[in-house]
Amino acid sequence: MFGLYMLAIYLGIAIIAAGFVALLVVVALAVGLVTHPIRTLALVFHKLAALAAGLALILALIVWFWYDHSKPDFAPCFWGSIGVIVASILIRAFAEWILERPTRAKRRAMKRAAAQETGRVTMRMPVSEEVAAAFESTRDGRRASL
């Protein structure tokens, strides 16, 4: 009798822990969607594509080894599973590319760092070439003549 009570307590603790983890995942997704929506969606698709590919692989193996190949629904089930695996690989590769790509802020920082290494001044506002040339010539110590 005591064993059933302990089992109920352990299952209750496991259910509470799973609910807490689910709540943390929802909060993390909400914050991620507000701060970095594209990266968060890419991360979700990255994980879902991996899950779909794993389940499709299990289904393809079950169909191949334990299902009658002469039945008419063998080919759609098997080749559908293979199609899901291929699509998941493509989705995961695209999501990986999005996740590995530097953010806009990082790209701007790299551009500024490269401009500072060369000693050039970059302007954020579009200006005419004459104004930019005049600015560069005064920077070198020569007088600008417009």
Side-chain angles (χ1 to χ4, degrees):
M1 197 67 169
F2 183 71
L4 290 177
Y5 290 130
M6 290 307 295
L7 178 65
I9 290 172
Y10 290 149
L11 286 177
I13 290 172
I15 289 171
I16 291 171
F20 184 70
V21 168
L23 179 68
L24 288 178
V25 167
V26 168
V27 169
L29 281 175
V31 170
L33 282 173
V34 170
T35 58
H36 302 292
I38 295 173
R39 286 184 174 272
T40 304
L41 288 176
L43 183 65
V44 168
F45 280 117
H46 192 265
K47 300 296 181 194
L48 287 177
L51 180 66
L55 293 175
L57 178 63
I58 292 170
L59 179 63
L61 290 173
I62 288 172
V63 168
W64 183 261
F65 288 111
W66 290 317
Y67 197 70
D68 187 12
H69 290 217
S70 64
K71 289 190 176 178
D73 59 346
F74 167 76
C77 187
F78 179 74
W79 290 112
S81 298
I82 300 300
V84 168
I85 292 170
V86 170
S88 296
I89 289 170
L90 294 175
I91 291 170
R92 194 168 161 94
F94 182 66
E96 186 76 25
W97 174 76
I98 290 174
L99 292 172
E100 292 296 322
R101 187 170 182 239
T103 62
R104 186 183 311 161
K106 288 181 184 176
R107 289 193 304 265
R108 285 181 185 162
M110 288 187 289
K111 188 176 180 182
R112 271 189 251 121
Q116 287 177 354
E117 285 178 7
T118 60
R120 292 193 49 203
V121 174
T122 58
M123 296 187 179
R124 294 185 185 185
M125 294 177 40
V127 295
S128 66
E129 294 202 17
E130 294 87 17
V131 174
F135 183 74
E136 284 292 325
S137 65
T138 57
R139 181 173 161 81
D140 293 338
R142 296 183 302 239
R143 201 73 176 132
S145 58
L146 291 176

